[in-house]
């Protein structure tokens, strides 16, 4: 039996972490076995790599090294957390996955084919069954992130607006190129309204 693998993607502050938790709660209420996880992280080894990636100076790693570290963290997360959960039939909800590497490391200059090659080596090329792309006007997302962090963004979140605009453009282009896997979800409005949109988008194309 293989469970359903759902990832949430989007820029900083759009509400991914809030909605990953709310979506998990909504599915658990329906009797679904859910594993809620996140990247970078989601297993002890990957959480240790997360600290290397998100702390320190902006130029601590070259773009290629950064891509390798994300791929290494993901390989551990997939092997130790995601594949075992899917194998027992659980639904996995993951706050960011491979498309974050394609967008963020892609925006830093790493080739998409190289990122997918690392993913093939590290994680057998595992892709989500459904990727929910949360979208919000950049000003609104920045205001939410600012309310949360008070301007103390992490090493990657703190990059300039042009970089984040490139990330958003790349994520949208992946969603347009893979319409079967992706759903665009409007992240504006009250939390419960967004959760209802996500539930529909998470489940469409399935029996449940
Ligand atoms: N629908 C919403 N309306 C208003 N604020 C929200 C909404 N969803 C999340 N937030 C708030 O915005 C901030 C960023 O949300 P978060 O879930 O951490 O975003 P992300 O994981 O995408 O960076 C948090 O302070 C959160 O409480
Ligand atoms: C998973 C992943 C995250 N990131 C970046 C995006 C974020 O700036 C940062 C940490 O992710 P996260 O904790 O999800 O940040 P936020 O809640 O602000 O969205 O790591 C990558 O650059 N590549 C990746 O593969």
């Amino acid at each position: 039996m293989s469970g359903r693998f759902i990832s949430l993607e989007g820029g900083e502050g759009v509400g991914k972490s809030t909605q990953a938790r709310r979506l998990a709660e909504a599915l658990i209420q329906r009797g679904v076995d859910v594993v809620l996880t996140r990247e970078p992280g989601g297993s002890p080894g990957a959480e240790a790599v997360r600290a290397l990636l998100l702390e320190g100076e902006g130029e601590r790693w070259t773009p290629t090294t950064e891509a390798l570290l994300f791929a290494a963290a993901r390989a551990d997360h997939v092997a130790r957390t995601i594949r075992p959960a899917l194998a027992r039939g659980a639904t996995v909800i993951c706050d960011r996955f491979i498309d974050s590497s394609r967008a963020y490391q892609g925006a830093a200059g790493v080739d998409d084919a190289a990122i997918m090659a690392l993913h093939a080596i590290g994680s057998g090329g595992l892709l989500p069954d459904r990727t929910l792309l949360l979208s919000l006007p950049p000003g609104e997302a920045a205001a939410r992130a600012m309310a949360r962090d008070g301007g103390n963004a992490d090493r990657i979140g703190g990059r300039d607006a042009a970089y984040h605009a490139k990330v958003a453009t790349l994520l949208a282009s992946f969603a347009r190129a893979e319409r079967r896997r992706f759903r665009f979800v409007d992240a504006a409005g009250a939390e419960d309204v967004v959760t209802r949109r996500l539930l529909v988008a998470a489940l469409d194309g399935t029996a449940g």
Side-chain angles (χ1 to χ4, degrees), residues 12 16 50 70 74 96 100-101 104-105 148 156-157:
E12 323 283 313
K16 295 176 302 301
R50 176 184 176 94
F70 275 110
R74 184 164 298 122
R96 296 192 182 279
S100 280
S101 282
Y104 284 81
Q105 283 60 64
R148 183 192 59 191
I156 297 176

Side-chain angles (χ1 to χ4, degrees), residues 31-32 53:
V32 178
L53 279 161

